[in-house]
Amino acid sequence: MQTKKQEILIKIAVRDIPTKGLDIDQSIPKEGIGLSCEEVDIKSLLNVKAHLEKINNFIIADTHIKAEFGYMCARCLEELYSTEERSYKFDFEVNPSTEYIDLGEEIRQEMILANPARILCSNDCKGICPKCGANLNKEKCKCP
């Protein structure tokens, strides 16, 4: 039930955005914007800060996200952790029938697209031995 409550907080009613703009500052679980570990491995809550402003027939959302991301080295399979900040700018076209904008869905899509397909723990990572599975960064191969 808590996840549903969190989702609603990122879904903003257009009528609730005042002329001076609306500031959002929340910490939500990745599930609150529909992310799964298979899409992006986030190890902490997402800290979401955004400023939304109505300009003519648009809502502009200047958004900043901070979270701890988990990665796996593509060569040695070691887990890596990195606290990262990402910024996104979204614009939503609105008309008289637009009731809500879904900031959470936009953040989710951008985070998936920005997630690196391949990451290394270091440029000189030696990987693992294909025969014995030893992590060559930490130990010598046990193969004859």
Side-chain angles (χ1 to χ4, degrees):
M1 188 83 177
Q2 183 179 357
T3 301
K4 187 172 184 177
K5 181 180 177 188
Q6 295 291 350
E7 279 183 61
I8 293 170
L9 295 174
I10 298 297
K11 190 173 183 180
I12 292 70
V14 173
R15 70 179 179 279
D16 291 343
I17 302 172
T19 309
K20 65 178 169 93
L22 176 69
D23 289 314
I24 295 172
D25 187 355
Q26 316 178 359
S27 294
I28 60 171
K30 64 182 175 278
E31 297 85 6
I33 61 170
L35 277 175
S36 67
C37 285
E38 291 78 32
E39 294 169 322
V40 180
D41 190 10
I42 298 174
K43 301 293 186 185
S44 68
L45 292 174
L46 290 165
N47 294 316
V48 179
K49 292 184 179 184
H51 179 74
L52 288 80
E53 205 169 325
K54 287 183 194 176
I55 301 173
N56 298 325
N57 293 334
F58 289 90
I59 293 174
I60 309 299
D62 191 14
T63 310
H64 304 280
I65 309 296
K66 183 176 180 181
E68 183 178 19
F69 290 77
Y71 300 106
M72 185 176 291
C73 177
R75 287 187 191 155
C76 69
L77 307 179
E78 285 291 314
E79 286 191 63
L80 310 166
Y81 302 97
S82 173
T83 299
E84 298 176 18
E85 292 186 42
R86 298 179 180 178
S87 294
Y88 307 110
K89 194 164 198 153
F90 306 111
D91 57 274
F92 301 89
E93 188 171 8
V94 293
N95 57 51
S97 66
T98 305
E99 292 185 42
Y100 296 94
I101 59 167
D102 190 350
L103 188 57
E105 176 59 21
E106 297 298 319
I107 293 169
R108 185 186 81 77
Q109 290 179 23
E110 288 297 326
M111 291 184 80
I112 291 169
L113 291 172
N115 202 36
R118 179 181 155 107
I119 194 163
L120 299 177
C121 60
S122 69
N123 287 336
D124 60 345
C125 176
K126 297 173 185 171
I128 57 174
C129 173
K131 292 182 182 177
C132 70
N135 182 337
L136 301 176
N137 297 310
K138 295 181 177 179
E139 60 185 311
K140 290 192 175 209
C141 178
K142 297 174 183 74
C143 295

